Each structure stands twice: as structure tokens, then as C-alpha cells.
Amino acid sequence: MIVMKFGGTSVEDAKAINRLAEIVKGRRDRKPVVVVSAMAKVTDALVAMSNAAANGALPEALKQLRQLRQRHLTVLGDLVSGKREAEGRAEIQQQFENLQDVLRGIASLGELSPRTTDNVLSYGEVLSSRIIAAALASRGINAVHVDSRKVIVTDNNFTRAVPQEETTDRFREVVRPLVNADKVPVMGGFIASTPEGITTTLGRGGSDFSAAIVGAALGAKRIEIWTDVSGMMTTDPRLVPDAQRIDAISFDEASELAYFGAKVLHPATLIPAVEKNIPVYVLNSREPSNKGTCIRSQAPKSRNMFRAIAAKKGARVINIRSPRMLMAHGFLRAIFEAFDRHGVTADLVSTSEVSVSVITDSSRDISALLEELRKLGKVEVETGKAIICLVGENVRGRVGMAASVFSVAAGCQVSLHMISQGASEINISFVIEERDVPEVVRALHARFFPAKPESKSGVRETDVVAIPQPTDVEAVEVA
Ligand code: ADP
Ligand code: ASP
Ligand code: MG
């Protein structure tokens, strides 16, 4: 069996869902399980609605709710008719009534907890998965809706919940029999629940992660991530329009890229895939014949110095200075124990005789951590930074690469805040001001990925080295 995940833009309207149906039809004999995101921009709208309700603007929240309900009803009406449409309409109306009650509850409390946030955000995937299951069923596909919250079990770390072992058993009990009976389960990505049945989410962009969880739980032969670009590219194509498609990339390289900002994959996606050694394909739902990118345990070395460049905005530098650090061991341990206690991850670290600089994501409140760090030394926090990360297996053991990277950055006349030739040995990273990202990424891309003439197919490829076809890869996979 295979897993096919369709992201927000791949399910954004009836036209996109019709394309999805054709793609799924083409894979019917491979026993697909379909995982879908909320329709494009729906999760953002739900975030806005819940914030409005919490901030005393309930009428605005309810106005947005009515618009969202209309959008879902219209898409349903464009896709199915008769009894299916009537049932779908009733279901959508019911879901929006429930959502309205939740928003009223938020408004009367004037408070939005992470648990309630997850409840509100879950509606996007609950609705899209039901509509898409109905659309597939009406196109002759034996589709059945499966509520992901009944099978993906997580801890209660709301807004970034972590899947638990029990998930595999639930998949064996609930989803495996459906696949064996040649049914096509359709599930919402991103959403899950605690063992007690309280709704959780896996973090923004988490539907990719859901697809990998499904794939690992069922021992899929491959996991397909269908999105709006033709695979993983040498950098974000929104930043550099002539970014080139990567034919094949290793799990390690793709994980680094996802972690350091390549939005095309949620950073946790590859963990379950690596564990079960399942190849992951990134494919374009608007151009299904494009080969996309194959991510697997090993890929042929890239001809370029690097495989790709990623940029992660929203970084924050925490500088801790203390003369006590000089010659005193145990100082670093005290700092990292504080990070650990507060559950804050360090993306990059650099140390000198008397100071330590740590880069973290700025989306979290870290006031309690800072209070603790102040007991260890003088603390300064700088925000508005970005991490630029160049990734590739070729970095391993190569001298002089950092120099060529920094000469490009120097050419842009930007100041570098921190430099690290990664502990993972396959990346070189540095920190710059967020506003400098486009210029620096474009300059690096032009230097390390010089434009190539278009191939006969009109597709640019970075790896011209022959790679095994998907079937060769799958021959060694366990079904
Ligand atoms: P989906 O809704 O399908 O999950 P996302 O918007 O989450 O899609 O991810 C796809 C987007 O990721 C692309 O449109 C692209 O702008 C962005 N992106 C960032 N870095 C890369 C990269 N290296 N390769 C491909 N896409 C990238
Ligand atoms: N709908 C969720 C989000 O927008 C999850 C996803 O699309 O992957 O973050
Ligand atoms: Mg995504």
C-alpha cells in the first residue's frame, strides 16, 4: 500500500479536488490511503477567528465563520449531488454549529488555551476530509472517511502533540482491514487526539507528518507528498524562481532542509519514514507526470557543491556572557539544563571564552527561561534574525567550503551573526538579519547553482546522474 498526502493548495477548490480524484484513480491498484490538509488558507482563517473571539470581537469571528461555511458548502455542491450532497450539507452545517459554540465559549472566557486552539484548528481537516471522501466516492472510488482522531494517538502537548506507540495498534485494527478490503481510507492530516479522545494537532504544516505516521503504521511502500511545486527544489522557488528540481535526495539532507525552513516538508515528516526506511516522494498535483523528488536513505552525490539552500526566518539570538565562564567547567551544562527544563530547542550554538550564543525559534514565550539564564550571566536577546543553511553530503570533510560561502555573503555586504559548520557534517549555517534573506539566498543560489540550459522536457534538474526508478527502490521495501 501507499500513502498519498495532498496539501492545502492541492485541495483548495472543486477543481483541485477533481485533479486529486484523477491522481488517486491512477494509483487505485496500489492500495492508497489518502491524507488531506484543510483547504488552502482555512487554518489561517480559523486562527484569525479564534483570536478575534478571544479579543472581544465575536461578531467579526462569526462573520468569518459564515464565510468559511459558505466556501465549504459551495465546494461540496460543485463536487457531489443528490443524497451525497444532502448528507454532506447536513454534516457541514453540524460542524459549523459546533464550531460556533466553541467560538462563543472562547469569547465568554476571553481566553484561548492551546487545547481550545487545537479544537478550533481541527475543523479545517475534519471538513476537508469529509468533503473529499464524498467526492471520491461519487467518482467511483471505494472511499471511506476515517476520523484521524480515532487512530492517531498523541500526548497532550497541545499545538505540537507527539504521536504515541498505541497509534500502530489502532491502525492495524481500524485502517488495515479497510485497505485489505480494497477500500480507500480518506483521513484528515494534522489532527489527532489524546488517549482520552481530546483533539490535538501536530503543529502547523503537520499533515506531512500525519502522512508519514500513517505510512510507518501500515508499512507503506512509499509516501507521496502532493503539493504545488514539482518536488524539493534547490531553494524556495518563491524566493528564486529559477530554483531547480532535485531528482533524489537523502533522508539526512532533506531532514536538515526541512528543519531549516524548506516549508515543502514539515520537519518531523521524515522521522517515521527513516525508522521504517520508506521512500518519500514530493510531487506536483498540478503536473502529476513530473517525476518530482525522491527522498530515501541514500541518493547519488550532487554534482553541485551543495544539494540545496534553506532559510529559516523568525530566529532569535540569546547571548549569555559571564566572566565566571572563563576556566569554569559546568557553565555550559547549567545553560543547557535550563534550556532543557523549559523545553526550548537550540538551533545553533556558538561559544567563546566568556560568552555563549544560542539561536532559538522566536515563536515561543521564553521569559521563564531568560529569568533563569540571568542567574548565570548577563543576557541579551536579539530578534528578527534568520538562519541560512546550505546542505549537502559533499560538505562532509571538505575544507574551504565555508570560505566560499562567506565570500558570497560578504559580497552582499551583510553582517553575519553566527557561523556553524554543522555538527551533522552535512550543513553550513549562518545567521543574518531577516530582511537580508532574499538578497543573500539569491546570491548564494546564483553562485552554487548556476543556471543550466533547459532540458528537452523543459524541466531543470540538478542531478543528471542516473538514479534507480521508484520500482527498484520499492523492490527492497517490505510491504
Ligand atoms: P502544502 O500546502 O502542499 O503542504 P506548503 O505551502 O506547505 O504546501 O509547501 C510548499 C511550498 O514550500 C512551496 O510552494 C514553496 O514555496 C515552499 N518551499 C520552500 N522551500 C522549498 C524547497 N526547497 N523546495 C520546494 N518548495 C519549497
Ligand atoms: N492545515 C494545517 C496548516 O495549515 C496543516 C497542513 O496543512 O499541513 O498548518
Ligand atoms: Mg505544508
Side-chain angles (χ1 to χ4, degrees):
M1 55 84 45
I2 64 170
V3 180
M4 305 177 76
K5 177 260 168 178
F6 293 85
T9 43
S10 303
V11 299
E12 64 187 348
D13 52 21
K15 206 169 149 199
I17 296 171
N18 277 323
R19 275 195 303 260
L20 172 156
E22 286 310 306
I23 296 169
V24 172
K25 257 189 191 168
R27 302 272 207 269
R28 219 171 356 181
D29 58 337
R30 311 196 73 178
K31 295 187 175 277
V33 173
V34 175
V35 175
V36 294
S37 286
M39 298 195 294
K41 307 240 160 51
V42 168
T43 312
D44 289 341
L46 292 165
V47 170
M49 248 179 245
S50 49
N51 287 335
N55 296 327
L58 182 64
E60 173 56 29
L62 296 180
K63 187 176 147 213
Q64 291 179 20
L65 174 132
R66 287 191 291 276
Q67 286 168 352
L68 205 60
R69 179 174 54 201
Q70 193 49 51
R71 179 172 166 201
H72 284 87
L73 288 171
T74 305
V75 171
L76 177 85
D78 288 346
L79 287 166
V80 297
S81 55
K83 185 164 166 260
R84 269 200 190 99
E85 185 183 4
E87 282 170 6
R89 283 188 79 83
E91 176 68 36
I92 292 172
Q93 298 285 11
Q94 182 61 55
Q95 293 293 349
F96 275 97
E97 262 170 46
N98 298 347
L99 177 56
Q100 185 165 319
D101 291 344
V102 181
L103 291 176
R104 286 187 191 284
I106 295 169
S108 64
L109 285 173
E111 195 184 278
L112 183 58
S113 66
R115 173 172 165 168
T116 310
T117 298
D118 277 357
N119 184 349
V120 173
L121 297 200
S122 68
Y123 282 86
E125 271 72 6
V126 166
L127 289 158
S128 65
S129 57
R130 288 197 176 271
I131 292 173
I132 292 162
L136 291 181
S138 76
R139 281 153 184 73
I141 297 168
N142 204 353
V144 272
H145 181 259
V146 173
D147 189 334
S148 303
R149 296 169 298 181
K150 299 245 155 52
V151 277
I152 302 185
V153 184
T154 66
D155 62 12
N156 63 0
N157 200 350
F158 295 103
T159 75
R160 53 183 79 191
V162 178
Q164 305 294 297
E165 293 224 331
E166 202 184 322
T167 302
T168 308
D169 294 337
R170 297 229 190 154
F171 268 90
R172 276 201 200 111
E173 283 158 25
V174 180
V175 186
R176 171 59 74 190
L178 298 174
V179 175
N180 288 348
D182 277 334
K183 301 214 160 93
V184 177
V186 179
M187 307 175 56
F190 179 55
I191 57 175
S193 78
T194 65
E196 298 78 33
I198 301 161
T199 298
T200 55
T201 70
L202 305 174
R204 293 302 307 269
S207 295
D208 303 325
F209 188 23
S210 300
I213 295 166
V214 175
L218 293 172
K221 277 191 175 171
R222 60 196 253 157
I223 296 162
E224 297 181 346
I225 306 291
W226 291 87
T227 183
D228 59 357
V229 284
S230 296
M232 281 197 108
M233 318 286 265
T234 47
T235 196
D236 186 345
R238 277 183 223 185
L239 223 47
V240 180
D242 60 352
Q244 300 155 26
R245 179 177 67 84
I246 300 169
D247 213 23
I249 181 168
S250 72
F251 281 137
D252 287 348
E253 291 171 321
S255 302
E256 295 272 332
L257 287 171
Y259 188 79
F260 286 107
K263 189 185 168 221
V264 64
L265 271 193
H266 180 276
T269 311
L270 295 174
I271 301 168
V274 170
E275 242 166 58
K276 296 275 161 77
N277 194 18
I278 304 170
V280 175
Y281 290 82
V282 180
L283 299 158
N284 189 346
S285 66
R286 292 174 185 160
E287 199 198 336
S289 59
N290 192 304
K291 279 199 324 189
T293 299
C294 171
I295 310 169
R296 52 173 192 252
S297 58
Q298 280 182 330
K301 283 229 166 122
S302 126
R303 279 198 178 176
N304 296 305
M305 197 183 275
F306 299 102
R307 186 79 80 187
I309 305 169
K312 187 177 181 181
K313 290 192 181 174
R316 158 169 61 191
V317 184
I318 306 173
N319 294 312
I320 308 125
R321 266 174 243 281
S322 168
R324 275 188 290 146
M325 196 180 151
L326 202 62
M327 315 296 287
H329 55 84
F331 189 80
L332 281 179
R333 193 186 60 209
I335 290 178
F336 288 110
E337 278 177 355
F339 273 80
D340 193 38
R341 262 194 301 283
H342 294 277
V344 179
T345 4
D347 285 346
L348 291 180
V349 180
S350 82
T351 63
S352 77
E353 293 279 288
V354 290
S355 74
V356 181
S357 299
V358 183
I359 306 281
T360 66
D361 190 286
S362 60
S363 62
R364 294 187 58 179
D365 174 16
I366 52 161
S367 40
L369 167 68
L370 294 180
E371 210 169 291
E372 223 178 287
L373 292 176
R374 285 197 184 98
K375 293 180 193 145
L376 297 168
K378 189 164 174 291
V379 177
E380 275 168 18
V381 179
E382 298 167 63
T383 52
K385 305 281 185 270
I387 305 175
I388 303 289
C389 178
L390 294 102
V391 173
E393 305 273 3
N394 289 345
V395 173
R396 222 185 285 273
R398 286 269 286 268
V399 197
M401 267 188 170
S404 50
V405 170
F406 301 133
S407 70
V408 176
C412 299
Q413 308 208 310
V414 301
S415 49
L416 306 186
H417 295 271
M418 195 191 274
I419 293 167
S420 143
Q421 180 147 1
S424 71
E425 288 193 328
I426 61 162
N427 86 52
I428 295 177
S429 322
F430 57 93
V431 176
I432 58 172
E433 296 295 323
E434 242 176 21
R435 61 170 179 269
D436 294 328
V437 166
E439 189 190 350
V440 172
V441 170
R442 284 183 197 126
L444 288 167
H445 196 272
R447 164 71 180 80
F448 295 112
F449 300 93
K452 282 199 208 111
E454 302 267 319
S455 69
K456 275 196 210 108
S457 62
V459 174
R460 293 164 186 274
E461 291 179 16
T462 54
D463 294 312
V464 282
V465 188
I467 58 149
Q469 291 306 302
T471 42
D472 299 334
V473 175
E474 286 171 15
V476 295
E477 302 302 331
V478 188

